[in-house]
Amino acid sequence: MAVREAGQGGSAAGVHGGGCTCGDCPHGARAGHRRAVAEFLLKRDEFAAGQGLPAAVAHSASASRQWVSAELTQSAELVAERGRAEGEAWLARLWLRTATVVWALVVVLLLVQAFTAIGAGWTSARTAGLLAALLTAGALTAASWFHRARGGALAPVIGEDNRLSTSRAVAGAWVLFVVYAVLVLVGRLAGASGHRERDALIAGLELGRGAGAVTVLAVVCAIAVLVRRVVGVRVLGQRLQKVRADRPRAADLLTDDAGRGTFADIQYVVIGGVALLFAAVRLARRPDQLPDLPWGLAVVVLVSAATYLAGKYAEGGRPVILSVVRAREAGDLDAPIRTGDDIEIRGAGFVPPGAQGADRLARMVVRIGAVHVHVPLVPVAGGFSNPTDAVLTVPVPADVEPGRVEVQVVTVAGVETNRYVVDVTD
């Protein structure tokens, strides 16, 4: 597929060059990004197979490695630029999609009410529920319009790293549900004709009727605020590495920044969603009061929220250098580290989650004494053998003064490792 995309990109690039961001254009931001990715993958695989090297650098392993790394870095920067353009265009279109989904849910609610009213008849509770849905959908549509450049109605649940926030999504779902439930009671209260009915509806808003739901709402909202604070403090304290994503994805709710499923996020979304479904059924059965969420289910949600918060405290960690050794190829003699040699830095946490792209890997830097060395990209079939999360290989420049020097890695997220002292000889 990469080869086909790269081969077909020539004719299309003559028209738009992949930079167009108009929504209906087939050569828009998405096509430009796909074409740039295909060209990068093709170039990476060619270099990994030893093809495309100029004769001027082919005789030297070090020179060819630096030349390949520079070429891949330039190509990766183009991919990153196209990716950001696609992300912005995708966010600009998202507000209309969210509004469409919201009104589709209103239609589904109307159909469900119409089918369930067969035989039982249409009631004032059904009218109140439909009017509450219309008011909620209208408010969400207005919010989508005002925040159309940031994802529409999803803007409040998109984090600072441009990913969907699990804690904000769960809290936002509960807030919307409670608002809808209160609007249903308001609609029923406005249409009530007798004093006894009105008193019963007002009594339905008492804390004793909906204590479980109110407790869950308070906890999930507090978790959303607390998690943002925890993540921010840990990032500033260099105990957590965060890399900005090109655009939010639905999978962000269940995965970490690297796209791997996480237990804490999955159980929080699943348990919170099941409890929300139970509360919705209770509201449909008894629309004259706030949903009386059983305390057993409420405690389950609280335990799930505590597990999610503990997971946020436990994730991440500062990168660390464990050892630095001289890189030795087959046939080389054992020797101390000299200028011009390659050194192998072993440790953990060098590549932050979500930073596996070539444009971000190319931004990694190793500080050797007073010299900053960019980590070269070494392509292999399907990826890169350098850098990796546990091992980095960099050359020792001639500008490094012989003697005891400090080695320190600066990751893509800007986090610095510990300083490791090595001896460099003449």
Side-chain angles (χ1 to χ4, degrees):
M1 178 178 178
V3 176
R4 289 201 306 269
E5 291 283 347
Q8 296 170 359
S11 59
V15 182
H16 289 261
C20 176
T21 57
C22 49
D24 300 328
C25 177
H27 308 291
R30 182 178 182 182
H33 181 232
R34 292 181 61 185
R35 188 161 52 250
V37 169
E39 292 173 353
F40 171 79
L41 294 178
L42 183 60
K43 182 179 294 187
R44 184 198 65 188
D45 292 341
E46 287 180 349
F47 288 152
Q51 302 173 2
L53 291 176
V57 299
H59 67 281
S60 172
S62 176
S64 61
R65 184 178 59 186
Q66 293 295 333
W67 186 86
V68 167
S69 179
E71 289 293 314
L72 289 177
T73 299
Q74 292 180 0
S75 181
E77 289 175 353
L78 178 62
V79 172
E81 179 184 351
R82 295 288 185 260
R84 287 189 293 268
E86 181 195 5
E88 293 174 358
W90 184 86
L91 278 178
R93 296 191 301 268
L94 185 60
W95 79 270
L96 185 59
R97 298 176 183 177
T98 55
T100 302
V101 170
V102 167
W103 286 104
L105 292 176
V106 174
V107 173
V108 170
L109 176 63
L110 175 61
L111 294 176
V112 170
Q113 288 188 344
F115 282 117
T116 55
I118 298 176
W122 192 269
T123 61
S124 60
R126 300 179 190 275
T127 302
L130 185 59
L131 291 177
L134 291 173
L135 289 175
T136 305
L140 289 176
T141 303
S144 297
W145 169 257
F146 285 111
H147 296 278
R148 58 188 180 275
R150 285 292 304 154
L154 294 181
V157 300
I158 297 177
E160 288 73 15
D161 58 352
N162 207 29
R163 294 180 177 89
L164 288 180
S165 170
T166 302
S167 59
R168 297 185 195 180
V170 173
W174 276 96
V175 168
L176 285 177
F177 172 74
V178 172
V179 168
Y180 173 77
V182 172
L183 288 177
V184 170
L185 293 178
V186 169
R188 293 208 61 194
L189 184 62
S193 57
H195 292 287
R196 182 174 300 178
E197 184 180 1
R198 288 196 293 269
D199 292 341
L201 290 171
I202 293 176
L205 288 171
E206 293 180 355
L207 183 60
R209 301 288 183 90
V214 173
T215 302
V216 170
L217 174 66
V219 170
V220 296
C221 289
I223 289 293
V225 176
L226 185 57
V227 164
R228 180 180 181 182
R229 175 64 178 171
V230 167
V231 172
V233 169
R234 298 194 70 208
V235 169
L236 293 179
Q238 296 191 0
R239 296 189 301 274
L240 179 65
Q241 302 187 74
K242 297 289 286 185
V243 177
R244 183 178 175 84
D246 291 332
R247 67 176 179 88
R249 292 174 171 82
D252 295 338
L253 300 178
L254 305 175
T255 62
D256 60 8
D257 292 352
R260 300 183 297 263
T262 56
F263 170 76
D265 293 61
I266 293 174
Q267 61 87 28
Y268 190 45
V269 171
V270 171
I271 293 178
V274 170
L276 191 62
L277 180 61
F278 181 90
V281 173
R282 293 292 292 174
L283 178 64
R285 291 295 184 181
R286 302 194 63 177
D288 56 345
Q289 66 177 45
L290 287 176
D292 51 341
L293 200 66
W295 278 110
L297 183 56
V299 171
V300 170
V301 177
L302 300 187
V303 172
S304 174
T307 303
Y308 174 76
L309 182 61
K312 286 298 178 182
Y313 269 105
E315 72 177 0
R318 189 165 183 172
V320 59
I321 296 177
L322 300 178
S323 61
V324 177
V325 298
R326 177 178 177 269
R328 177 179 177 274
E329 297 182 359
D332 284 352
L333 298 177
D334 295 328
I337 298 176
R338 297 185 175 90
T339 56
D341 290 343
D342 289 341
I343 58 174
E344 186 178 278
I345 305 172
R346 302 171 183 175
F350 295 149
V351 180
Q356 289 78 15
D359 61 304
R360 284 162 178 167
L361 292 177
R363 294 171 57 191
M364 296 184 63
V365 174
V366 175
R367 186 184 297 119
I368 305 177
V371 182
H372 293 75
V373 182
H374 284 80
V375 180
L377 299 176
V378 180
V380 293
F384 297 93
S385 62
N386 187 64
T388 64
D389 188 65
V391 178
L392 304 178
T393 301
V394 294
V396 179
D399 295 332
V400 174
E401 296 291 337
R404 297 179 64 85
V405 297
E406 293 180 338
V407 177
Q408 190 176 30
V409 176
V410 182
T411 69
V412 179
V415 179
E416 298 178 341
T417 65
N418 57 305
R419 300 175 185 270
Y420 194 95
V421 179
V422 298
D423 294 317
V424 178
T425 61
D426 291 329

